[in-house]
Each structure stands twice: as C-alpha cells, then as structure tokens.
C-alpha cells in the first residue's frame, strides 16, 4: 500500500459530456468527503459502501461548483487495490480545474503518469504484462487492436508464460535432482525427452515472436505510402480506400504536389492504415513538385507498407522498374491499376521485386494484384490482400500476444537461451550445460512477466502512460 492519496483527471482533457476525477489512497474517502456533499443530507460519503454511487455537488472554498456523482470503491476491490472515489462532473475544462484544485486543497497529491496503474501493479491487482495491456487498450486505434490488448489484460499472455515457466521449472528441478543426487532414485532424464520439452517451449515463443509484428500493426496501425508514376491512379486509390473524395483526381499528371495523408480502417480486422498519397515520381523542373517528390521518396523509405501503383494500360517504363526495385525486400504490394482497360504492362518486368522474402522470424512477402481503383468492389479485395501481407488476417485476437517492445525483447532472449540449450544437448555438452541455458531462459521469462523485472524496466513501462491512467 502506498501512503499518499492521489488525484487526477481520468478522462481526456478538453470539453466533454462528463469528466471523471479519480481519487485513490488511504485518505480517498476523507478527501472526497471534504469536496463532495450528497444531495440527500442524511447520507454520508465516508460511510458509503463499495460499488455505490451518491449524487450531490462538489464544493470549493465553501461554494457549490457543479453537480457531481461520487462512485465509491473500497480497498482492495478497486482498480488500484486502494480506497477509490471517482467524482464525475460536467466535462468543461474550467469545472474540471476547480474539482482538481478542490481535491488538492483537501489533501490529495497530483498523480504522476501511470500512477494508478503502477499502484494496481504494486498492490498485486495486475501483473506487468497486464499493465502494459492497459496502455495498449487505452491507445488502440482499431477494433482488433483493442481486442488483443483486452486479451492481454484478461491475462492471456501471463497465463501462457506461467504455463511455460511451470514446465521449464519442473524440467530444471528434475535435471538438478538427477545431476546432484545420482545415488538417489531419481528417474533418468533422457536427452530426447529433455529436448522435446524445450523444443515445445521454443516453438511457443517463436509463435509469439512471429505474430508480434502483425499485432503491432493491429494496435498502432501501419504507415502506408502510396507511390507510383504520375497519373497511374494513386489519388483514386486513396479515395477508394478512404471511401470519400479525399484527394483531387484529374487526368493531368503532377496534380498531387505534396503528401496527402488520411487514416483509414480496413478489412475484417479493422486495421488502421495511415495512408500517405505522394506526388508522382518523375523528373520535373517545377520546384514545388520536386519538393513534393522528395517528400514522397522519404515516405517510401519510412513506410511499414508500400502500395506501389502501376498503370496496367500502358507499357512498363524505366521509372516503373526503378520503383519496383526500390520495393525489393520491403513489405510491399504491387497494384496493377486500370485493369478495366486493355492490358499493356509487362508484369514480368517488376515481378522479381515483389517476390517476398524472409526477414528474421517474420516472413515478409510481396504480391501483385490487378485492380481498378475506379471500382468500389475492389476495395474488399485490396483489403484482403493487405491483411494477408501484414499477417493480420490469421491473427486470433483472443490469443496470448506480446504487446510491447519490452516483452518482445524478453521473449527473444528466452527463445535464444532455449535454442542454446538445444544446441548444447545436440552437440553432446551434457544436460548440465543445457541446464544453465535453461535457467537463463527462465530468468528472461520472469523478466517478461515482471516477476523479476528490475526497477528500471518497471519505470520504463509506466513512463509511457499518461496522467490519470
Ligand atoms: P495519380 O496522379 O497517380 O494520383 O492519378 P489519379 O488518381 O489522379 O488518376 C489519373 C487518371 O486515371 C484519372 O483520370 C483517373 O480517373 C484515372 N484512373 C484512375 N484509376 C483508374 C482505373 O482503375 N481505371 C481507369 N480507366 N481510369 C483510372
């Protein structure tokens, strides 16, 4: 238990229907009772049971300020595990400022970033992976991203890793007993059984690591560059994906002179693409257009997904091949546009650059898709191809998933220690050498779940939160 009582706005700043100020700590009820008076004078906030609500007003310097509902939680049955009172008033910034000031004058300290969730963690209400999930849920842009974080908050990852830890701990226990007490009746540990158990654990970690990229796409969206020569249909494509006329479309080359940006939600999984339609890539003497082209190239380099558009009704030119080459090895989709017109484009000239390749644990692929950006029916086909390329279509949003860089790094470390244990076994170094690697793997898993995470790692998790969460 922390000994201070803290307060902060838990809803977003700015005008809104209501705003919620959360007060948490040992003196939450004393503080709230100094600020809030129930409309029914026979009721007392200090006496309110958990999970009850009282209607009344909040006061500052003896003056009533606004109608307020006080929602009461009693320790340990609250978000933080402490006594909590949530005061809801009208969501005007001036009202909120008064309420926060009143709470501070009544003895509450302003909460630091993520302090409510940090307290929930320190009081054992949630584990570190769940704390990270809270952040994912708060910042999730798309439906499935939110579902992923909700699964983590429900403890899906924590349970999966705990199961892994239990298996590896049992294996290590058996190994230690067998190595240290050979005279006892410890059943022999066959290297095959040892390796099978470790391989299974390594495979599970590999799956989590492989899906991490797709999960990150669902949680945060992906920066997507639409690139291609002038007049191939980039702006028409942006409008098709946006579902409205976002960009100006004309038959004149060079119409889009700057980067036009638009976020769209796409496909079954509701993934968010942060689209950037760029100026057509071509040689130009026009200074403004040239600057647009430079920005377009920069977008292409930074993008997590490239939609390279080609005009299928014209023969492939040198610029097309140069663009295709720039897409090699990238997460890129070639779109042969204007498929409603007679085909002239030789697909073979660009195909090798969109063949896809394996990048670490993630298979990054490329594809070629024939579309007509003018045809609304092609939106769904395009969405399906993008989901397949990003690996989001096959992701089960309810399954365990890694939701932060920190978790990813710990899982990667655990996996490499398990691989080392397998190699030690295979190369005949004996099970005790493998046991050392196994111990390292377990330590990495404890780090992942927060069971042995250092102060710095915990600091890092909570530093990314906003105040009020
Ligand atoms: P951008 O310069 O690459 O952004 O190209 P635009 O989107 O401005 O399109 C250039 C021209 O091609 C416009 O006249 C569009 O109407 C036309 N266009 C775009 N997509 C298609 C398509 O799928 N089929 C046909 N026939 N015309 C298209």
């Amino acid at each position: 238990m922390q000994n201070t009582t803290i307060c902060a706005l838990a809803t977003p700043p700015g005008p809104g229907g209501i705003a919620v100020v959360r007060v948490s700590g040992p003196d939450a009820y004393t503080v709230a009772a100094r600020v809030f008076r129930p409309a029914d004078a026979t009721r007392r906030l200090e006496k309110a049971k958990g999970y009850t609500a009282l209607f009344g007003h909040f006061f500052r310097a003896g003056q009533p300020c606004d109608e307020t509902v006080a929602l009461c939680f009693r320790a340990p049955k609250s978000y933080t595990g402490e006594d909590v009172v949530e005061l809801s008033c009208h969501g005007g910034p001036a009202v909120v400022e008064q309420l926060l000031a009143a709470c501070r004058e009544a003895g509450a300290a302003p909460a630091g970033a993520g302090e409510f969730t940090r307290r929930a963690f320190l009081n054992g209400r949630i584990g570190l992976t769940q704390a990270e999930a809270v952040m994912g849920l708060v910042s999730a842009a798309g439906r499935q991203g939110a579902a992923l974080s909700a699964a983590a908050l429900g403890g899906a990852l924590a349970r999966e890793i705990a199961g892994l830890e239990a298996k590896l701990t049992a294996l290590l226990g058996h190994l230690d007993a067998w190595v240290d007490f050979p005279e006892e009746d410890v059943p022999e540990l066959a290297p095959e059984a040892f390796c099978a158990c470790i391989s299974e654990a390594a495979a599970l970690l590999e799956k989590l690591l492989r899906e991490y990229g797709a999960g990150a796409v669902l949680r945060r969206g992906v920066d997507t560059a639409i690139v291609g020569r002038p007049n191939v249909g980039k702006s028409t494509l942006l409008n098709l994906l946006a579902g409205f006329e976002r960009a100006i479309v004309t038959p004149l080359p060079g119409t889009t002179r700057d980067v036009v940006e638009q976020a769209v939600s796409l496909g079954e999984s509701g993934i968010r693409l942060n689209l950037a339609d760029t100026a057509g890539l071509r040689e130009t003497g026009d200074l403004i257009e040239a600057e647009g082209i430079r920005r377009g190239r920069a977008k292409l380099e930074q993008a997590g997904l490239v939609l390279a558009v080609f005009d299928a009704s014209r023969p492939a030119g040198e610029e097309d091949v140069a663009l295709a080459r720039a897409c090699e090895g990238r997460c890129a989709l070639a779109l042969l546009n204007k498929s409603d017109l007679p085909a002239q484009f030789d697909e073979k000239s660009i195909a090798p650059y969109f063949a896809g390749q394996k990048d670490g644990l993630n298979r990054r692929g490329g594809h070629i898709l024939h579309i007509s950006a003018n045809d609304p029916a092609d939106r769904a086909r395009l969405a399906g191809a993008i989901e397949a390329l990003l690996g989001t279509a096959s992701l089960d949003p309810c399954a365990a998933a890694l939701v932060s860089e920190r978790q990813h790094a710990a899982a990667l470390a655990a996996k490499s220690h398990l691989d080392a244990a397998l190699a030690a076994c295979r190369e005949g170094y004996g099970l005790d050498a493998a046991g050392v690697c196994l111990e390292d793997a377990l330590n990495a898993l404890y780090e992942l779940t927060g069971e042995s995470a250092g102060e710095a790692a915990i600091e890092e998790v909570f530093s990314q939160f906003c105040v009020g969460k």
Side-chain angles (χ1 to χ4, degrees), residues 231-236 249-251 337-338 340-341 372-374:
N231 240 20
V232 292
K234 297 181 297 300
S235 300
T236 312
V249 174
T250 72
N337 190 32
K338 310 195 187 181
D340 52 310
L341 301 176
S372 170
N374 270 341

Side-chain angles (χ1 to χ4, degrees), residues 170-181:
L171 191 64
L172 197 60
H174 187 166
L175 182 67
D176 285 347
W178 189 60
V179 172
D180 295 345
F181 306 102

Side-chain angles (χ1 to χ4, degrees), residues 108-289:
E115 201 171 345
F116 293 107
T117 310
R118 179 200 294 261
R119 287 183 176 206
F121 168 67
L122 293 175
N123 292 329
R125 295 289 290 166
I126 55 172
L128 201 58
T129 57
Q130 287 158 295
E132 283 166 305
V134 170
M135 201 168 70
L137 203 53
V138 172
S139 58
R143 273 196 313 279
Q144 284 226 11
L148 269 183
S149 297
L153 183 57
L157 178 67
R159 277 194 300 279
E160 188 118 338
I161 300 297
L164 210 57
E165 284 173 359
K167 269 190 205 152
L168 296 179
T169 308
L171 191 64
L172 197 60
H174 187 166
L175 182 67
D176 285 347
W178 189 60
V179 172
D180 295 345
F181 306 102
E183 67 283 1
E184 302 288 328
D185 249 358
V186 180
E188 187 180 333
L189 185 57
E192 298 74 40
F194 182 82
C195 285
C197 184
I198 294 185
S199 299
E200 199 184 312
L204 198 143
L205 285 174
E206 175 158 347
K207 176 174 179 289
L208 288 173
L209 289 164
R210 198 175 44 238
E211 290 176 350
Y212 177 68
V217 164
L218 284 184
R219 286 191 312 279
R220 294 197 292 263
V222 57
D223 290 339
T224 305
I226 303 179
V227 292
R229 289 165 63 184
N231 240 20
V232 292
K234 297 181 297 300
S235 300
T236 312
L237 177 71
L238 177 84
N239 292 342
L240 174 78
L241 290 171
F244 66 98
E245 301 289 304
R246 172 66 178 85
I248 303 168
V249 174
T250 72
L252 299 176
T255 309
T256 306
R257 293 155 73 107
D258 197 358
V259 177
V260 179
E261 297 190 328
Q262 176 68 43
V264 303
S265 180
L266 212 63
E268 285 292 305
S269 50
I271 65 175
R272 198 172 89 149
L273 300 187
N274 306 316
L275 288 174
D277 177 19
T278 61
L281 303 173
R282 65 168 180 176
E283 289 303 319
T284 175
D286 180 320
L287 276 182
I288 299 176
E289 191 184 351

